[in-house]
Amino acid sequence: MPGYQRKETMKAIRYHRHGGPEVLQYEDVPVPLVNEREVLVRVHAASINPGDWQIRSGMAGDRFPLPYIPGWDISGTVEEVGAGVTSLRVGDEVFGMSANSGACAEYAALPAAQLARKPRSISHEAAAALPQSACAAWNALFVQGGLKAGQRVLINGASGGVGHFAVQLAKWKGAEVTGVASGRNEAFLRELGADQFADYSSGSWTQAVDPVQLAVDTVGGTEGNRLLEVITPGGSLVPVTWGNYDTDQAAAGQIDVHEVAMLPVTTADLDRISRLVEKGQLRAVIDRMFPLKETALAHELSESRRARGKIIIRVSSTADR
């Protein structure tokens, strides 16, 4: 592009060893190069997902080499285009999901096949909230869960990132939705469309809800077996994260427990979500926004599992765009 001068370095959050939020460093790193199928995105906003702090803490082992720039969800402006990319141009406002993290930085290189044009009606912050969580909710409900209009579905962790999208998508489909979360989130979830609410802190909540054909578990951990109690014979349990489920109990109840699916986000997936957003049928709820240099605080909030909706990192200000 005439007159374009590529920056050599950028600000980024990076860590050189696994550990707690304190290992996250705000430092200067090289601006990534793009291959022929990638674009360089000037990042305006990123979002935090549980996988970010799980990888940081070492739960993924050495799968992601150090030093490592965290973050997967991105919204920003195309700065450079690889030689083989024809779907996007410099200056396009895009959102999507990185193939190899790197969102918590001023620039990120992403495959064009994992980007789409940002919904025009929303901000970069709202767009950054969508890719991983909204697409994970879609996959759990409709691809793995096969949810149909008129069925009953339970969303465990309904007030979180994936959960609050799942509630909205299930209602859009015409399902009857039960949301499970802490008591303080009941009004919030009913506003999103939940027909029934259960407070997970109540020891008897499984007896208080109607049986469902599908349960989506966004929480995981050791409490997953309680979900098996509310699924009808022939129903399904779809975990979005790893949990412990009694296979004998599931088999006795004729319940199909799916594997956790980590599917790549595609342009088609993002376009589908974008259309729902533009029609007012899906919205991202943002709990808090942090500047890039305070990413450690965002990780702490995510680890607390008390965030309502999504946690956003603002990388560049409106004045910089």
Side-chain angles (χ1 to χ4, degrees), residues 105-121:
E106 291 181 315
Y107 296 90
L110 288 85
Q114 290 181 219
L115 287 168
R117 286 177 174 79
K118 181 184 78 67
R120 293 183 179 182
S121 62

Side-chain angles (χ1 to χ4, degrees), residues 189-214:
L189 290 174
R190 290 196 183 277
E191 180 188 353
L192 291 182
D195 301 287
Q196 196 170 33
F197 174 81
D199 183 346
Y200 71 81
S201 65
S202 169
S204 58
W205 72 262
T206 55
Q207 283 78 50
V209 300
D210 295 329
V212 300
Q213 287 81 40
L214 172 64

Side-chain angles (χ1 to χ4, degrees), residues 46-315:
S47 76
I48 301 297
N49 295 293
D52 294 321
W53 53 263
Q54 291 167 353
I55 295 169
R56 187 212 67 225
S57 66
M59 291 176 62
D62 59 1
R63 180 181 169 190
F64 300 94
L66 301 174
Y68 182 80
I69 299 174
W72 301 84
D73 292 336
I74 285 176
S75 185
T77 305
V78 175
E79 192 92 348
E80 292 180 18
V81 176
V85 176
T86 58
S87 57
L88 296 171
R89 298 180 298 178
V90 171
D92 284 344
E93 292 191 323
V94 295
F95 76 120
M97 184 175 166
S98 168
N100 228 356
S101 76
C104 291
E106 291 181 315
Y107 296 90
L110 288 85
Q114 290 181 219
L115 287 168
R117 286 177 174 79
K118 181 184 78 67
R120 293 183 179 182
S121 62
I122 62 174
S123 66
H124 281 287
E125 289 80 9
L130 293 167
Q132 188 174 56
S133 293
C135 290
W138 180 280
N139 179 69
L141 290 169
F142 308 129
V143 179
Q144 290 184 280
L147 183 66
K148 297 178 176 60
Q151 291 186 319
R152 293 190 301 273
V153 58
L154 182 144
I155 313 296
N156 189 32
S159 62
V162 175
H164 88 289
F165 287 129
V167 170
Q168 296 175 74
L169 289 170
K171 285 303 296 181
W172 164 78
K173 189 67 173 179
E176 183 177 330
V177 181
T178 297
V180 181
S182 65
R184 71 186 181 92
N185 287 307
E186 180 174 1
F188 167 65
L189 290 174
R190 290 196 183 277
E191 180 188 353
L192 291 182
D195 301 287
Q196 196 170 33
F197 174 81
D199 183 346
Y200 71 81
S201 65
S202 169
S204 58
W205 72 262
T206 55
Q207 283 78 50
V209 300
D210 295 329
V212 300
Q213 287 81 40
L214 172 64
V216 174
D217 186 10
T218 76
V219 178
T222 59
E223 296 294 316
N225 286 331
R226 302 188 71 185
L227 300 178
L228 298 174
E229 301 172 16
V230 301
I231 303 174
T232 58
S236 298
L237 170 61
V238 178
V240 176
T241 187
W242 288 271
N244 296 318
Y245 310 105
D246 187 328
T247 54
D248 291 336
Q249 181 181 350
Q254 302 176 48
I255 298 167
D256 184 14
V257 178
H258 292 254
E259 297 290 332
V260 176
M262 296 297 182
L263 301 179
V265 170
T266 68
T267 300
D269 297 328
L270 295 165
D271 283 339
R272 178 171 53 218
I273 294 299
S274 182
R275 287 192 293 270
L276 291 172
V277 171
E278 296 287 40
K279 292 177 181 178
Q281 296 166 328
L282 185 70
R283 65 184 176 95
V285 175
I286 297 174
D287 186 291
R288 286 188 63 185
M289 292 190 284
F290 296 85
L292 180 62
K293 63 175 60 177
E294 295 181 6
T295 298
L297 296 178
H299 274 227
E300 289 177 7
L301 177 57
S302 180
E303 282 190 77
S304 75
R305 295 185 180 271
R306 294 186 60 80
R308 177 182 289 176
K310 295 290 294 185
I311 303 166
I312 299 299
I313 304 297
R314 300 182 76 173
V315 181

